[in-house]
């Protein structure tokens, strides 16, 4: 398992300093939010992607993945009944798929709760069907680009559209593309699911549905900064042979961005060392 830091934690730093800091703290990668790179990520091209990948590589880190895909440019929506806007949003996401591939990022995480929520007067079911239609169109593009596009279940306080892994798995199975998977965000799962996170992982990693994991606490801080158990999650992933990324994604940077990033790296690395070096019981 490899540890990645969601780069918006350090977004006040230039990208090269984000890479240097992440590497110094022991992270192997950065999970990049495109809005941290520019106010209009649609202008980012293959040359930009290769430059960012080279900068990261110079510091010994990879661009592991992309997330927060639809924050900017503003006004995009995958749930909208406006056909032209829906088409434009799908086209932008295809652009990000190509950008991720050029960066060497193997995963895109589709959370973006606002841009998948119903607009006024729209039902949740109608919003969901439009979002699913968008994902169905994106899946073959992701497959051709050689990346995995992950649907992220989010808590109902963020969006009414797709809150549980069971709902995400149903969409993944319906579209039936090897490039479309789901993932587990520990905070969201703790708040939205009836089962604990290790149980969910044992079911959905084993079935091949989960391709990515984000670690955080239900209190919206980093892993280890609240009451959400992290060790059982890592133990389950270890036993399942998970070899993907563990992305650290706090929302409340306590005590400050650098301190939060440093604490989370040390905490999770310590747990991983304990789990991976634990002697098997007789």
């Amino acid at each position: 398992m490899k540890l990645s830091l969601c780069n918006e934690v350090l977004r006040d730093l230039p990208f090269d300093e984000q890479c240097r800091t992440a590497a110094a703290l022991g992270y192997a990668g950065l999970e990049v939010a495109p809005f941290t790179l520019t106010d209009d990520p649609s202008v980012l091209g293959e040359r930009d992607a290769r430059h960012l990948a080279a900068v990261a590589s110079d510091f010994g880190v990879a661009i592991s993945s992309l997330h927060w895909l639809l924050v900017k440019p503003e006004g995009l929506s995958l749930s909208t009944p406006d056909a032209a806007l829906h088409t434009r949003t799908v086209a932008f996401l295809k652009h990000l798929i190509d950008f991720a591939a050029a960066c060497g990022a193997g995963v895109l995480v589709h959370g973006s709760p606002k841009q998948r929520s119903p607009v006024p007067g729209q039902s949740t079911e109608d919003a969901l069907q439009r979002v699913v239609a968008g994902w169905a169109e994106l899946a073959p593009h992701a497959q051709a680009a050689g990346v995995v596009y992950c649907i992220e279940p989010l808590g109902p306080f963020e969006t009414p559209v797709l809150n549980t892994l069971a709902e995400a798995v149903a969409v993944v199975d319906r579209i039936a593309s090897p490039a479309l998977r789901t993932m587990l965000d520990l905070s969201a799962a703790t708040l939205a699911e009836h089962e604990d996170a290790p149980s969910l992982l044992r079911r959905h990693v084993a079935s091949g549905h989960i391709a990515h994991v984000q670690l955080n606490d239900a209190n919206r801080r980093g892993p280890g900064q609240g009451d959400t158990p992290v060790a059982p999650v890592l133990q389950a992933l270890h036993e399942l042979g998970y070899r993907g990324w563990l992305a650290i994604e706090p929302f409340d940077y306590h005590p400050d961005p650098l301190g939060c990033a440093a604490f989370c790296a040390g905490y999770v690395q310590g747990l991983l060392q304990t789990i991976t070096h634990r002697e098997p019981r007789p």
Side-chain angles (χ1 to χ4, degrees), residues 16-38:
D16 60 341
E17 282 299 302
Q18 294 178 26
C19 296
R20 183 193 65 77
T21 301
L25 295 177
Y27 290 95
L30 283 177
E31 179 163 304
V32 172
F35 78 87
T36 65
L37 304 175
T38 174

Side-chain angles (χ1 to χ4, degrees), residues 111-150:
S112 298
K114 180 180 177 181
Q115 294 83 4
R116 76 189 204 204
S117 294
V119 299
Q122 183 184 27
S123 70
T124 299
E125 180 60 27
D126 184 73
L128 175 62
Q129 292 308 314
R130 294 177 190 277
V131 171
V132 170
W135 286 332
E137 188 174 347
L138 292 167
H141 195 84
Q143 185 174 357
V147 300
V148 174
Y149 198 94
C150 287

Side-chain angles (χ1 to χ4, degrees), residues 235 238-239 273-282:
Q235 182 67 45
H238 176 64
E239 293 172 3
Q273 289 175 7
T274 299
I275 289 167
T276 56
H277 292 90
R278 184 179 294 158
E279 290 294 326
R281 294 178 181 178

Side-chain angles (χ1 to χ4, degrees), residues 100-116:
C103 283
V107 174
L108 295 92
V109 177
H110 191 122
S112 298
K114 180 180 177 181
Q115 294 83 4
R116 76 189 204 204

Side-chain angles (χ1 to χ4, degrees), residues 62-79:
I63 297 179
S64 62
S65 34
L66 301 186
H67 75 148
W68 281 114
L69 304 180
L70 293 177
V71 174
K72 291 183 179 178
E74 295 182 2
L76 296 175
S77 172
L78 206 56
S79 58

